[in-house]
Amino acid sequence: MTPIPPPAEELRLLDAELRQLDARRAVLLHRRAWLVHVLQPRPVPTAPPAPVRRPEATAPGVQNVLLILGGILLTVAAVAFTLVSWGHLGIVGRSTVLGAVTLAALGSPVPLLRRGLRSTAESLAGLGLVLTVLDAYALHTVALPDTDGVGFAAFASAALAAGWAAYGLTVGARRGAPGGEPVGVTTEGLPSADPGQEPAASGAGPKESGPDTGAVRRGTVLGLRLPVPAAVVAAQFPLVLWAAAVGAGAHAITAALLVTAAFDAVIALRASSTAVRVVAAVGAFGLGGWGTFAGCYLSWTAAGPGAATRAAALLLLAASIAFSAAWAAARPGVATGTATAAGLITVVASGGVLRTVLPGEWTVAGHLACGLALLAAVVRPGLPDPVRRGIAAASGSVQALAVVWALPVVVISLVGPLGRAGAVWSGAPATARDAVTSGLPWPPDAVTEPLVLAVVAAVLAVTVRSAAWRPRALTGALVLAWSTALSLPAALELPYTAGLSVHGVTTVALLALARRTRPPVISVVLALVTSVDLAFLALASETATLTVFAALTVLFAVAARQPGLGPVGTPAALVHLAASACAVGASLGWQPQHTALLVLAVPVVAALLAARLDDVPTRVTAEITGAVAALVTVTLTVTDPPMLATVLALCGVIAAGTAVREDRRSVGYAAAALFVLATWVRLAAWDVTSPEAYTLPVTVPALLVGVYRRREDPAVSSWTAYAPGLSVSLFPSLLAAWADPQALRPLLLGATALAVTLLGARHRLQAPLLLGGTVLTLDALHELAPYIVQMADALPRWVAPALAGVLLLALGATYEQRIRDARRVRDVLGRMD
């Protein structure tokens, strides 16, 4: 029979077999990976492809460059011939040469277009257009030298514009296709002669073929692109030059600019050619802009209603052109922008007339009224949405500019009262403007500023009805209404008391509004800013200061009881209460350290409120305000140490009372620190210089608290229970002992340290043992220091190196033993608490 091994032996055999299988499997996997790598097909190295040399310029590009250069050179030659060589020929020769060259240049594009050489035809056509300009110049120089140059230029530009347009519309037409069929003339951007044929789109037509490709498609001849845009360019000058030639004034020249701009706008909106539309649009915006600028200048410099009316007529012409263009524009963005410009031009036109009729301070108000009148056009039925948006944007822009004009008055009304902090109770000023302009200039013609702000606020509140923009509009209206109330007394030069009343009523209204709005952030912030402004305004008079501070304290105390206003109203009431305490103390003639006792009532009130409040944010803000008020009281008593000690002790009492609450136990540390500081300040006031007088009052309570904690919780470490109290007394006394030449303090300190060390050893406590031993050792060294110094002076100098060497040898010889001793000491200390 086969013997069966015991289980342990069998398990060992199985593990050995498994290890052999794993090793064999690893060898087989490695062999398999090598075979797969060997059998994989390897790529055959091939030569890199030869680089393909590509041309750096396309054939059409080269052709266009050559044609453009050729046209430029021919144009330069023609100009040189006209200006330099003209006088060497007779009248017949001159006419023959210029006429022949011009006719040849203008007639050449026709056969070139029939052969499909469009670029060449465009180049020769451009040369022909330049030659016509030279013909006009030659005609004026030779045949009409006595005529006015500006007038002739106006006539010539009109004739050239008409001729170029006719040339561009007719050149390239074919009278018939092969086979006798009539063929319509298809020109760039213009309808064909055949009524049944659709106009060619901008840029449409067959591709240009080279000289070897033959004619273009039968029955179609494309027109030239250059002459019609050039005719539009030439059409910009006749009216303006004619107005200058007849000696017309600025109004007539401006009218000529605007009429030309209207002509350009019509072409830009109705032409089908992209090039023509672009040229006309540039002319419309350019000349229209110059005409509008000139009209604005004429309106602004108009001395009377008549001149302002004439300028307004020009501006209204520009506005009508812009409105018409916006109405007919296909792109919404262009329509909106053009309508906005039209609305602004209308406001400038009507406002310029009002400026000459109304007083100077009503100029901005008049323009604002004209801007608001634009809103009537927004509700007009049938108005396109882009135009409606543009008109609304123009009205909003006018309102925004009016608000910006009013901002300096608001800033002065808000910042000006801060200057009263340097002149407290210097006397009540006569008016509210005098109260806010201490060192600040008042803007001229600012009487209507409150009206402007109020009107814009009303418009925002009434006109904006969109659900998305309604909250923002109401917020803006609230801020503008507040700005109106803030600047109204100074703008109208109301009496000083009336200005205080307006600020007070505004604060009350904002707090009342905060009850109805959710969230009330804006209203509350504005109310706080207004109250601060009112407080600084009241510093001018003693009576006003006491009255305003007390009223603000009561007002915010009442507001703090409203839902949602506690976190803001409570600290505001406490701050105004502290200010009232300071004002009362100053009014009674008290010194700052005595006034601090009145201010100390604020931390007391804050602590009592925090104990009764259930709202956590309100409780926290009240406690923070009380702490800041306590800091103010301490600051007021810095110059009087006895009073400072009293205030610190009272603050410690307040902190101790706060620490009674379950959620404010940590304030007890602050209370202890305040009591200690109060004691130290009192001792310093009594000229006590011994450090033990400062440290023992801290050490004894600290040790008693440590004993109590160890008794309640035996797990508390001796470092936590006794180290703070012992350190506060031992180490300051040690520093004093090292600087004390007498022997009494070192002796008492050594005895105390020895007692602490023995107590630590007796009860096996780390903190007393180590702290007492350290202080005892250092105190002993201090006592032995004079003898050590004497001995060092008596010994030879070789003794110190010899002793150092012996010490190192001893340390090296007993290194292992010292390690065991150190571990034994560590274990002993570890078993202590």
Side-chain angles (χ1 to χ4, degrees), residues 310-379:
R310 291 194 298 272
L314 295 174
L315 291 175
L316 291 177
L317 174 61
S320 62
I321 297 171
F323 270 126
S324 301
W327 198 293
R331 297 182 179 180
V334 176
T336 301
T338 309
T340 302
L344 294 175
I345 295 171
T346 304
V347 171
V348 173
S350 52
V353 177
L354 293 178
R355 181 186 60 82
T356 59
V357 178
L358 299 175
E361 58 269 15
W362 288 90
T363 299
V364 176
H367 283 78
L368 177 61
C370 298
L372 296 178
L374 292 176
L375 296 176
V378 176
V379 299

Side-chain angles (χ1 to χ4, degrees), residues 757-833:
T757 304
L758 294 177
L759 287 174
R762 171 68 180 78
H763 297 282
R764 303 181 66 183
L765 300 175
Q766 286 185 4
L769 179 62
L770 295 181
L771 292 177
T774 302
V775 173
L776 180 62
T777 303
L778 294 176
D779 185 66
L781 289 176
H782 172 263
E783 293 301 314
L784 295 176
Y787 303 102
I788 295 175
V789 172
Q790 294 177 3
M791 185 176 63
D793 292 338
L795 292 177
R797 294 186 178 182
W798 57 266
V799 174
L803 291 177
V806 172
L807 177 63
L808 292 176
L809 290 175
L811 291 176
T814 61
Y815 183 76
E816 185 176 1
Q817 181 63 34
R818 285 184 293 103
I819 290 178
R820 288 197 296 267
D821 295 340
R823 290 176 179 174
R824 189 177 299 109
V825 172
R826 183 191 62 186
D827 295 338
V828 171
L829 292 176
R831 288 193 293 270
M832 294 182 179
D833 292 333

Side-chain angles (χ1 to χ4, degrees), residues 17 48 96 175 292 313 325 339 349 406 478 516 533 565 642 712 755 776 779:
E17 292 291 338
T96 302
R175 297 186 179 181
T292 302
L478 176 60
R516 302 183 178 182
D533 206 51
L565 300 183
E712 294 293 328
L776 180 62
D779 185 66

Side-chain angles (χ1 to χ4, degrees), residues 338-750:
T338 309
T340 302
L344 294 175
I345 295 171
T346 304
V347 171
V348 173
S350 52
V353 177
L354 293 178
R355 181 186 60 82
T356 59
V357 178
L358 299 175
E361 58 269 15
W362 288 90
T363 299
V364 176
H367 283 78
L368 177 61
C370 298
L372 296 178
L374 292 176
L375 296 176
V378 176
V379 299
R380 177 183 174 184
L383 194 67
D385 290 337
V387 178
R388 181 179 289 105
R389 288 194 297 268
I391 297 175
S395 178
S397 301
V398 174
Q399 298 176 52
L401 291 174
V403 171
V404 171
W405 169 80
L407 281 182
V409 177
V410 178
V411 173
I412 292 175
S413 301
L414 183 62
V415 179
L418 301 180
R420 290 292 168 184
V424 179
W425 295 353
S426 59
T431 63
R433 182 178 296 182
D434 296 333
V436 301
T437 55
S438 53
L440 296 176
W442 185 257
D445 299 334
V447 178
T448 57
E449 177 270 344
L451 176 62
V452 169
L453 294 175
V455 170
V456 176
V459 170
L460 282 177
V462 173
T463 58
V464 181
R465 295 295 181 182
S466 174
W469 289 93
R470 181 68 176 172
R472 304 175 187 177
L474 292 178
T475 301
L478 176 60
V479 174
L480 291 176
W482 169 76
S483 303
T484 303
L486 191 70
S487 58
L488 181 63
L492 299 182
E493 292 188 276
L494 298 180
Y496 173 69
T497 55
L500 295 179
S501 301
V502 171
H503 281 69
V505 172
T506 303
T507 306
V508 174
L510 288 170
L511 290 176
L513 182 62
R515 296 177 54 188
R516 302 183 178 182
T517 57
R518 290 293 179 271
V521 178
I522 301 298
S523 302
V524 171
V525 170
L526 295 179
L528 290 176
V529 173
T530 309
S531 66
V532 173
D533 206 51
L534 175 59
F536 277 98
L537 277 177
L539 292 178
S541 170
E542 179 180 353
T543 304
T545 301
L546 297 174
T547 304
V548 168
F549 283 8
L552 290 175
T553 302
V554 175
L555 176 62
F556 280 100
V558 174
R561 300 175 61 87
Q562 305 301 322
L565 300 183
V568 177
T570 300
L574 293 175
V575 168
H576 287 106
L577 179 61
S580 300
C582 294
V584 170
S587 178
L588 295 176
W590 291 2
Q591 295 297 322
Q593 60 269 23
H594 299 142
T595 305
L597 297 177
L598 290 178
V599 182
L600 197 61
V602 177
V604 176
V605 174
L608 295 176
L609 284 176
R612 298 174 58 87
L613 292 173
D614 296 330
D615 186 29
V616 176
T618 305
R619 186 192 312 155
V620 172
T621 54
E623 291 173 344
I624 293 174
T625 308
V628 174
L631 182 61
V632 172
T633 60
V634 172
T635 305
L636 292 174
T637 58
V638 168
T639 57
D640 190 352
M643 185 61 69
L644 176 60
T646 303
V647 169
L648 288 173
L650 293 175
C651 291
V653 172
I654 298 173
T658 303
V660 174
R661 292 160 44 194
E662 186 67 27
D663 57 338
R664 290 294 184 267
R665 297 296 189 192
S666 58
V667 185
Y669 297 103
L674 289 171
F675 284 130
V676 171
L677 289 176
T679 305
W680 289 355
V681 171
R682 176 59 65 182
L683 292 174
W686 289 342
D687 295 330
V688 176
T689 58
S690 175
E692 290 78 11
Y694 297 89
T695 57
L696 287 178
V698 180
T699 300
V700 174
L703 292 177
L704 292 177
V705 172
V707 172
Y708 174 77
R709 290 194 63 184
R710 289 272 298 178
R711 182 173 298 175
E712 294 293 328
D713 186 6
V716 175
S717 172
S718 63
W719 290 102
T720 303
Y722 305 125
L726 294 174
S727 301
V728 168
S729 287
L730 293 177
F731 289 106
S733 298
L734 178 63
L735 295 176
W738 275 72
D740 192 355
Q742 304 297 328
L744 180 60
R745 178 177 276 113
L747 179 61
L748 294 176
L749 178 61

